Amino acid sequence: MTTTLAQRVVVGLKSRILDGTLAPGEKLPSEADLIDEYAVSRTVVREAVTRLRAEGLVETFQGRGSFVLAVPEPTTFRVEASAIRTQHDVLAMLDFRLGIECEAAYLAATHLTPEGAEQVRAALEAFSAAEPGEAVEADFAFHRAVAAATGNRFYLDLLDSLGPMMIMLPRTRLPDEFSHTDAAHVERVRREHDNVGAAVLAGDADTARAAMRVHLGNTRRRLMSGGSRSA
């Protein structure tokens, strides 16, 4: 619920930044004003500002507040789902993610803030509570929360450019027993997420990196096994 409320605040502020209502260099409304405007808690407001900061839209200065930055140019990096056609392409995407997300987990554990920890916990809880049809979005939300917890907006930009298709495509190429509707598969992924999340929340950077490598490596092994059986 907190994550959903924070997203509403993010959308509202982001639209004002993008349409110029809040100009570069202008200070965001105070926490008290945002609490009144959106009828949310201080925690929700702080999470929303953290997300805007992670997107490179605002910068926060101790004791002065948060100020709007110039809107960055749209990223030119995009991977369309239609461009990933074969199992080889999906394996290459997993290899790419291994190189990125293992370090993201390491940095998330190293630079964890209370706001980042809350997002990771919320994502873990949401995945555990997700219905089978919601598993892909909830899975992506967890990986996105880890990226956001790094405090490095480029990790977040990269995962946003990939989107939930980075989760969906490997699953569409797994055999039926590993499909995203299979409860046993979802439970395996939940345990792997729990291991990553626990290490990040404990500030154990090396274990967080290793746990993410195990998680993505298991996905890769399942995909290769499924491909050999279908060949």
Side-chain angles (χ1 to χ4, degrees), residues 76-92:
T76 58
F77 181 82
R78 284 287 185 272
V79 179
E80 298 295 335
S82 60
I84 302 179
R85 301 184 181 91
T86 66
Q87 186 186 46
H88 177 79
D89 290 338
V90 178
L91 287 170

Side-chain angles (χ1 to χ4, degrees), residues 21-39:
T21 303
L22 286 169
E26 188 172 346
K27 187 176 180 180
L28 287 186
S30 68
E31 281 189 355
D33 288 341
L34 291 173
I35 289 169
D36 289 342
E37 179 179 351
Y38 291 96

Side-chain angles (χ1 to χ4, degrees), residues 29-207:
S30 68
E31 281 189 355
D33 288 341
L34 291 173
I35 289 169
D36 289 342
E37 179 179 351
Y38 291 96
V40 295
S41 69
R42 188 178 303 276
T43 298
V44 169
V45 168
R46 288 180 175 175
E47 180 179 338
V49 172
T50 296
R51 292 192 193 184
L52 291 172
R53 190 164 61 243
E55 291 186 37
L57 295 175
V58 304
E59 186 170 7
T60 301
F61 297 92
Q62 184 96 23
R64 293 173 54 200
S66 297
F67 295 81
V68 177
L69 296 172
V71 177
E73 291 295 320
T75 178
T76 58
F77 181 82
R78 284 287 185 272
V79 179
E80 298 295 335
S82 60
I84 302 179
R85 301 184 181 91
T86 66
Q87 186 186 46
H88 177 79
D89 290 338
V90 178
L91 287 170
M93 172 58 72
L94 283 167
D95 287 341
F96 177 70
R97 289 178 59 197
L98 275 161
I100 299 297
E101 292 194 69
C102 294
E103 290 309 306
Y106 180 93
L107 291 173
T110 302
H111 302 302
L112 192 67
T113 64
E115 293 81 6
E118 184 176 342
Q119 289 182 52
V120 170
R121 287 193 194 95
L124 286 171
E125 291 171 6
F127 186 78
S128 293
E131 297 295 328
E134 302 169 339
V136 168
E137 290 285 348
D139 195 335
F140 175 70
F142 170 74
H143 287 269
R144 190 182 187 280
V146 172
T150 66
N152 183 327
R153 71 179 179 87
F154 295 108
Y155 280 98
L156 195 58
D157 287 349
L158 179 56
L159 259 66
D160 281 343
S161 73
L162 297 175
M165 72 92 177
M166 78 179 199
I167 305 296
M168 175 61 80
L169 284 174
R171 293 181 178 190
T172 62
R173 286 162 173 81
L174 289 171
D176 289 343
E177 65 265 31
F178 292 140
S179 74
H180 64 275
T181 59
D182 179 65
H185 172 68
V186 172
E187 176 60 21
R188 279 190 294 270
V189 174
R190 186 194 65 77
R191 288 197 301 268
E192 291 167 8
H193 281 189
D194 285 346
N195 291 337
V196 175
V200 168
L201 294 172
D204 187 342
D206 289 328
T207 300

Side-chain angles (χ1 to χ4, degrees), residues 1-25:
M1 179 63 73
T2 299
T3 299
T4 302
L5 292 173
Q7 185 61 29
R8 181 162 61 87
V9 180
V10 168
V11 169
L13 291 175
K14 191 172 181 178
S15 66
R16 286 151 69 179
I17 292 171
L18 296 179
D19 69 16
T21 303
L22 286 169

